Amino acid sequence: MEAFTTHTGRAVPLRRGNVDTDQIIPAHWLKKVTRNGFEDGLFEAWRKDEGFVLNAPERKGATVLVAGPDFGTGSSREHAVWALQNYGFKTVISARFADIFRGNSLKNGLLTVVLPQETVEALWALTEADPAAEITVDLVAREVRAEGVTAPFELDDNARWRLLEGLDDISLTLANEADIAAYEARRPSFKPSTARV
Amino acid sequence: MGRTLAEKVWDDHVVRRAEGEPDLLFIDLHLLHEVTSPQAFDGLRMSGRTVRRTDLTIATEDHNTPTLDIDKPIADPVSRTQLETLRKNCAEFGVRLHPLGDVEQGVVHVVGPQLGLTQPGTTVVCGDSHTSTHGAFGALAFGIGTSQVEHVLATQTLPLAPFRTMAITVDGELPAGVTAKDLILAVIARIGTGGGQGYVIEYRGSAIEKLSMEARMTVCNMSIEAGARAGMIAPDRTTFDYLEGRPNAPVGADWDAALEYWKTLRTDDDAVFDHEVRIDANTLTPFVTWGTNPGQGAPLSSAVPDPASYADPSDRLAAEKALEYMGLSAGQPLREIAVDTVFVGSCTNGRIEDLRSAAAVLKGRKVADGVRMLVVPGSVRVALQAVEEGLDKVFTAAGAEWRHAGCSMCLGMNPDQLAPGERSASTSNRNFEGRQGKGGRTHLVSPQVAAATAVTGTLSAPADLSDVPVLTEV
């Protein structure tokens, strides 16, 4: 996984709540069998509207997405995270994320930052008024900084450590392989097996 | 202090608990399908890892599969490649697969329960958010992303963040013509699409206990639409009767031992939930969605709400955008909304009871002129059962299309899609913009409402068909 320490970049203010993963990446894109090449599918339907914020020339190269509450609801498709990353986003800020999307993002090094809606509103106001305004997301200090905004955010120590180091979850788990084997040894025989009967 | 059902199942699966780390949980059953697994298998190959427990892993093909001409090569080359990739991966890594054309093929969340693999007190995962379905058996079941699919393939475990517990207690009697689908749509409208965030929901109360396994699966299936980590129902006689004799259910001494354990899987009387919601079943009526998320729903007897009536500005904006997308206006009676397509199927409502209740409404009637109705059984087994009961004949006689099993129009990854601007009454689970096809408009409904809507051409309940007796399903 790509490590995340601190990132500074321009933002895309997305004034929508309940942005579901079908909007982030529509289902027909999910037929691909790779983790890359999803950038053109990101918000595909909304991008057909010329007035959509992502289409504005001054938002080109922006890396911080500031979205309404309940971002990433619906389908568990990790393709939504890959699409955001393939497009160039490094971090997403929202007042609330759907659980599965949040888990997927942190496993891929896309930092999802939960801030109060008032702070999201302040970041929208700032970046709408000045598209060149930059936002810094500092995972070391667990703080978001922009002109007129200094906002601490929470992320548990373990998740933060894995992101800062860019650690691979599977390797971490396999370091405790003996625990898994011990559990398997005491697991009851009546538990289901997929063996054909 | 006592423990809730969810806490008991969690505790029984802890492989490793250490200060400052998420609990590492053992996974009893891992379900795979073609869409969210290819990148996970690639990851295993790149790191030289294998599937740790092929005996706890099973795959089927559902999202991409066509529902017509399944004996011919799949027309879409990208879909074909994805299915071929799953077949190649399952062969290479030794995973049991039920491909298109196999008698056990079907929507992954229909296949697991009907094989008897989904059992009380187990942990079940799948790279699909509707894995919450399996919670109907008292399993702790949740959808995961592809990175986690790879993690489970390699280790048969997952590190998981702690959860909070919510009880949704539904007491009373569901009135005639009101189904599990109406119940869960009403729940989501009440708590919102983010209301369950971070929670495992336990559905309980006398109305829940009276539900069949199929109906319980419908309820738990849509827990994710309220944002919940999972939904569960304590196992009881209904659960045990459903499981006994199924191909992968325990037998002999194992059955006795399993039953003894399963009977302990109830929330203790002195357990405390972090949040509680109470619903009176007697007050529920057929429920449909009008908007573009599953929380934007209302009783069928009501009207499209006025966005101005929402106090919260983001709810107001969401309602405005939804009405614009759906081509609806405030105050329009929901019963007057005309549809082009009716879809009966999906992991929410594609089981045999769902087909029976839709067929009972359609029997002796015709699908309205200009309306297309698709009936897509959730699995080949469901299809075979329906044929044995003559349900397919009821559907085709009414003018509906009887298709092969799969996810189909629930998400339109195969050719079954809405055209731009088309409107559907759908028994599926998501009414997101473009979910059933670019520009398509979806109203989520129960199988009974779907069938009645097919007959009248506008959103309707069976009671609206004056000469059809009201059903007492559920």
Side-chain angles (χ1 to χ4, degrees):
Chain A
M1 180 178 76
E2 203 177 320
F4 190 108
T5 48
T6 183
H7 175 78
T8 299
R10 286 180 293 110
V12 173
L14 181 62
R15 278 192 187 264
R16 287 191 78 133
N18 262 305
V19 176
D20 59 75
T21 53
D22 273 77
Q23 305 317 313
I24 300 172
I25 186 82
H28 69 96
W29 282 87
L30 312 190
K31 296 174 188 178
K32 289 167 65 70
V33 295
T34 58
R35 283 176 180 253
N36 48 41
F38 292 98
E39 58 275 15
D40 291 340
L42 181 69
F43 299 123
E44 187 182 48
W46 293 346
R47 275 160 80 181
K48 295 214 170 2
D49 170 7
E50 280 180 21
F52 182 56
V53 60
L54 211 61
N55 291 331
E58 66 271 21
R59 303 293 168 187
K60 203 171 157 60
T63 52
V64 181
L65 184 63
V66 186
D70 292 314
F71 188 86
T73 55
S75 159
S76 62
R77 58 189 70 165
E78 197 158 313
H79 313 66
V81 171
W82 303 333
L84 287 160
Q85 291 183 310
N86 291 168
Y87 188 87
F89 286 108
K90 302 288 182 200
T91 175
V92 184
I93 296 170
S94 170
R96 191 161 60 186
F97 291 95
D99 280 322
I100 303 177
F101 176 83
R102 184 111 206 266
N104 289 342
S105 69
L106 298 177
K107 296 216 178 309
N108 284 274
L110 176 76
L111 181 56
T112 38
V113 178
V114 178
L115 289 178
Q117 184 60 25
E118 307 87 80
T119 313
V120 170
E121 301 271 355
L123 292 172
W124 280 343
L126 169 72
T127 56
E128 280 170 355
D130 176 12
E134 290 189 323
I135 297 176
T136 294
V137 176
D138 183 345
L139 181 58
V140 182
R142 275 181 275 215
E143 192 174 78
V144 169
R145 294 182 296 272
E147 195 188 328
V149 174
T150 302
F153 64 88
E154 287 183 25
L155 187 70
D156 71 81
D157 289 340
N158 187 269
R160 174 174 171 269
W161 167 66
R162 285 182 285 129
L163 275 167
L164 288 173
E165 304 290 331
L167 295 173
D168 165 23
D169 273 1
I170 297 177
S171 301
L172 290 176
T173 296
L174 288 176
N176 299 308
E177 201 276 335
D179 293 330
I180 303 173
Y183 183 92
E184 288 173 326
R186 64 174 189 267
R187 189 169 172 265
S189 66
F190 62 75
K191 289 285 187 172
S193 154
T194 59
R196 286 173 197 267
V197 285
Chain B
M1 194 175 72
R3 294 177 299 161
T4 64
L5 166 62
E7 288 161 341
K8 289 182 182 183
V9 179
W10 180 284
D11 290 348
D12 284 349
H13 290 83
V14 174
V15 165
R16 176 184 161 84
R17 179 169 282 170
E19 184 64 29
E21 288 179 26
D23 281 355
L24 187 65
L25 257 62
F26 193 80
I27 302 302
D28 288 313
L29 178 63
H30 188 190
L31 306 164
L32 297 168
H33 61 86
E34 74 274 19
V35 175
T36 54
S37 65
Q39 297 86 352
F41 280 112
D42 273 349
L44 291 185
R45 255 188 299 272
M46 283 191 294
S47 50
R49 292 177 177 132
T50 57
V51 177
R52 182 179 178 92
R53 295 295 299 265
T54 52
D55 61 328
L56 305 182
T57 311
I58 188 169
T60 189
E61 301 172 354
D62 56 5
H63 282 65
N64 255 312
T65 52
T67 57
L68 287 172
D69 300 327
I70 62 165
D71 49 339
K72 302 199 177 98
I74 293 166
D76 176 357
V78 194
S79 289
R80 194 166 65 231
T81 299
Q82 194 166 55
L83 291 168
E84 283 165 357
T85 303
L86 180 69
R87 290 170 197 178
K88 186 171 63 70
N89 284 332
C90 287
E92 180 182 338
F93 288 90
V95 173
R96 174 178 171 184
L97 167 69
H98 294 295
L100 189 62
D102 186 280
V103 71
E104 299 297 352
Q105 178 264 341
V107 181
V108 68
H109 309 307
V110 178
V111 170
Q114 78 187 9
L115 281 171
L117 282 168
T118 304
Q119 295 173 19
T122 56
T123 46
V124 181
V125 299
C126 175
D128 188 281
S129 59
H130 291 111
T131 308
S132 58
T133 310
H134 306 265
F137 291 79
L140 185 60
F142 41 89
I144 57 177
T146 297
S147 294
Q148 289 172 303
V149 170
E150 184 181 340
H151 195 283
V152 177
L153 287 172
T155 71
Q156 205 56 37
T157 64
L158 272 182
L160 290 167
F163 63 95
R164 290 174 291 170
T165 56
M166 183 189 300
I168 295 185
T169 305
V170 190
D171 281 319
E173 292 272 349
L174 286 176
V178 180
T179 70
K181 184 63 164 290
D182 304 301
L183 163 63
I184 190 63
L185 285 173
V187 165
I188 300 163
R190 169 130 160 221
I191 71 174
T193 55
Q197 204 229 349
Y199 288 99
V200 173
I201 297 174
E202 182 182 334
Y203 302 94
R204 52 214 313 258
S206 58
I208 299 294
E209 287 163 19
K210 280 176 220 151
L211 296 177
S212 67
M213 283 317 297
E214 274 92 345
R216 292 180 189 186
M217 284 189 252
T218 300
V219 170
C220 289
N221 170 276
M222 291 193 70
S223 302
I224 183 66
E225 311 312 335
R229 296 265 298 272
M232 298 177 89
I233 295 173
D236 58 12
R237 179 49 56 192
T238 303
T239 321
F240 312 147
D241 288 348
Y242 178 96
L243 280 167
E244 192 165 15
R246 293 199 175 259
N248 284 83
V251 290
D254 276 344
W255 172 264
D256 296 337
L259 203 57
E260 195 179 329
Y261 172 60
W262 295 347
K263 286 178 177 167
T264 68
L265 297 171
R266 308 194 70 79
T267 292
D268 295 327
D269 291 341
D270 57 343
V272 178
F273 288 93
D274 297 313
H275 188 65
E276 295 213 43
V277 174
R278 289 194 163 271
I279 288 175
D280 178 0
N282 299 287
T283 63
L284 296 171
T285 59
F287 212 88
V288 302
T289 62
W290 50 264
T292 54
N293 73 57
Q296 291 176 322
L300 173 63
S301 57
S302 67
V304 175
D306 184 351
S309 67
Y310 289 91
D312 182 277
S314 72
D315 286 347
R316 193 180 318 135
L317 181 67
E320 280 167 9
K321 283 194 190 290
L323 293 196
E324 187 188 330
Y325 180 84
M326 293 295 287
L328 298 172
S329 42
Q332 200 174 346
L334 293 169
R335 276 199 167 90
E336 290 177 11
I337 296 172
V339 305
D340 308 286
T341 295
V342 172
F343 172 66
V344 173
S346 85
C347 58
T348 310
N349 282 128
R351 281 169 280 267
I352 190 67
E353 274 189 14
D354 302 312
L355 301 194
R356 283 180 193 143
S357 69
V361 176
L362 270 188
K363 194 163 188 171
R365 316 202 134 261
K366 287 279 179 201
V367 173
D369 283 346
V371 173
R372 163 175 71 146
M373 181 176 187
L374 256 64
V375 183
V376 182
S379 70
V380 176
R381 290 282 182 202
V382 169
L384 291 173
Q385 177 71 29
V387 168
E388 195 179 309
E389 297 178 18
L391 305 182
D392 59 323
K393 298 268 190 319
V394 174
F395 291 123
T396 51
E401 296 178 42
W402 173 249
R403 298 290 190 90
H404 289 286
C407 298
S408 177
M409 195 182 267
C410 174
L411 84 167
M413 271 190 84
N414 74 352
D416 306 338
Q417 296 180 12
L418 294 180
E422 270 189 345
R423 187 182 298 280
S424 77
S426 177
T427 67
S428 55
N429 40 57
R430 288 189 175 134
N431 50 346
F432 296 153
E433 291 180 22
R435 169 81 176 179
Q436 297 189 293
K438 213 172 281 181
R441 296 159 168 168
T442 303
H443 297 273
L444 301 177
V445 300
S446 74
Q448 295 186 16
V449 167
T453 300
V455 172
T456 62
T458 58
L459 294 179
S460 304
D464 299 332
L465 311 174
S466 53
D467 56 337
V468 173
V470 174
L471 299 167
T472 51
E473 187 246 8
V474 211

